[in-house]
Amino acid sequence: MNTKDLLDQIAFIKEIDKVKYIQRKTKLFNSDRCENDAEHSWHLALMAIVLAEHSNEPIDVLKVVKMVLIHDIVEIDAGDVFIYDTVKNHDNTDEERLGANRIFGLLPEKQKGEFIAIWEEFEAGETNEAKFARSMDRLEPLLQNTSNNGGTWKEFGVKYDKVYEKKSVIKNGSKILWNYAEGLINESVEKGILEK
């Protein structure tokens, strides 16, 4: 047993506990409490397992689960940027890159390389696994907002065009889930909880 590796792994495990304190704008289903990054990542992991059959292409589900569990760890340093933020770009990859290098750098070298590679693959969104993982990341808040009568859409004055643009990423991973999501978006307009 390599004691240094074990101590590095424990240091990483302690550090990522901070993910539980990163508050997101989106609220839990049928709730007024904001979700945190740990809850979000856990939910995406289960969604990926349950919904994997709807992927456009065959996927390595374990790899997708790894992606969704680690994709927001960088927010310990970079913070969570609201997807509909009008001031700061949601793709704050420079700040996130610094966070990835510091936080994943706590791990033994081999694990550090694996985690950074998985995080980069998710960010690039080009592989079948990354496309499906990103579909989960966009679907969950849509489900939350529809369960909360518009939720953050209403709270922050987000309009149909912006929601449609951001959520259309879902189709890259699953056309079936996109058809469902598109229906929810249109239904939200009809119900008056999303302004067109």
Side-chain angles (χ1 to χ4, degrees):
M1 180 184 89
N2 184 332
T3 305
K4 182 186 179 329
D5 283 358
L6 175 60
L7 293 176
D8 289 346
Q9 290 164 331
I10 297 296
F12 173 79
I13 288 167
K14 288 179 178 178
E15 181 66 13
I16 64 169
D17 189 65
K18 294 175 182 175
V19 169
K20 297 172 186 173
Y21 296 97
I22 308 294
Q23 293 298 306
R24 295 169 49 81
K25 296 281 191 252
T26 312
K27 294 176 175 62
L28 301 175
F29 285 82
N30 302 306
S31 174
D32 61 357
R33 180 172 80 75
C34 288
E35 172 182 58
N36 67 47
D37 270 357
E39 292 167 326
H40 171 66
S41 297
W42 164 83
H43 209 180
L44 297 186
L46 279 172
M47 287 172 61
I49 293 166
V50 171
L51 300 172
E53 69 183 273
H54 303 297
S55 176
N56 291 338
E57 302 293 336
I59 52 171
D60 177 344
V61 177
L62 178 58
K63 190 173 193 182
V64 173
V65 168
K66 287 179 180 181
M67 281 183 186
V68 297
L69 286 175
I70 70 166
H71 80 290
D72 279 342
I73 287 175
V74 299
E75 293 182 1
I76 291 170
D77 288 359
D80 178 54
V81 177
F82 185 42
I83 193 167
Y84 302 113
D85 196 301
T86 56
V87 177
K88 190 170 186 177
N89 187 334
H90 182 257
D91 300 320
N92 56 340
T93 50
D94 289 341
E95 293 170 21
E96 290 181 344
R97 161 77 50 207
L98 291 171
N101 288 333
R102 184 191 73 78
I103 300 163
F104 299 140
L106 296 171
L107 288 164
E109 200 60 37
K110 183 177 176 186
Q111 283 183 313
K112 170 191 171 185
E114 177 192 0
F115 278 49
I116 287 178
I118 289 170
W119 176 76
E120 288 174 338
E121 185 176 337
F122 175 86
E123 289 298 312
E126 295 172 357
T127 64
N128 293 338
E129 287 78 15
K131 289 174 185 175
F132 192 73
R134 290 166 73 89
S135 293
M136 299 299 96
D137 195 34
R138 296 294 169 92
L139 178 61
E140 189 226 18
L142 171 63
L143 297 174
Q144 290 168 321
N145 281 327
T146 57
S147 81
N148 287 316
N149 295 314
T152 54
W153 302 334
K154 276 190 164 181
E155 185 178 347
F156 297 99
V158 181
K159 305 284 191 274
Y160 169 89
D161 290 342
K162 188 56 88 174
V163 171
Y164 196 91
E165 172 199 335
K166 295 292 186 182
K167 299 306 177 184
S168 66
V169 168
I170 295 169
K171 69 183 162 201
N172 298 337
S174 173
K175 289 181 176 68
I176 291 169
L177 293 176
W178 169 242
N179 289 338
Y180 177 76
E182 188 177 29
L184 285 179
I185 293 168
N186 292 330
E187 192 178 291
S188 296
V189 172
E190 291 167 17
K191 288 181 176 177
I193 63 173
L194 179 61
E195 192 179 327
K196 197 155 189 180

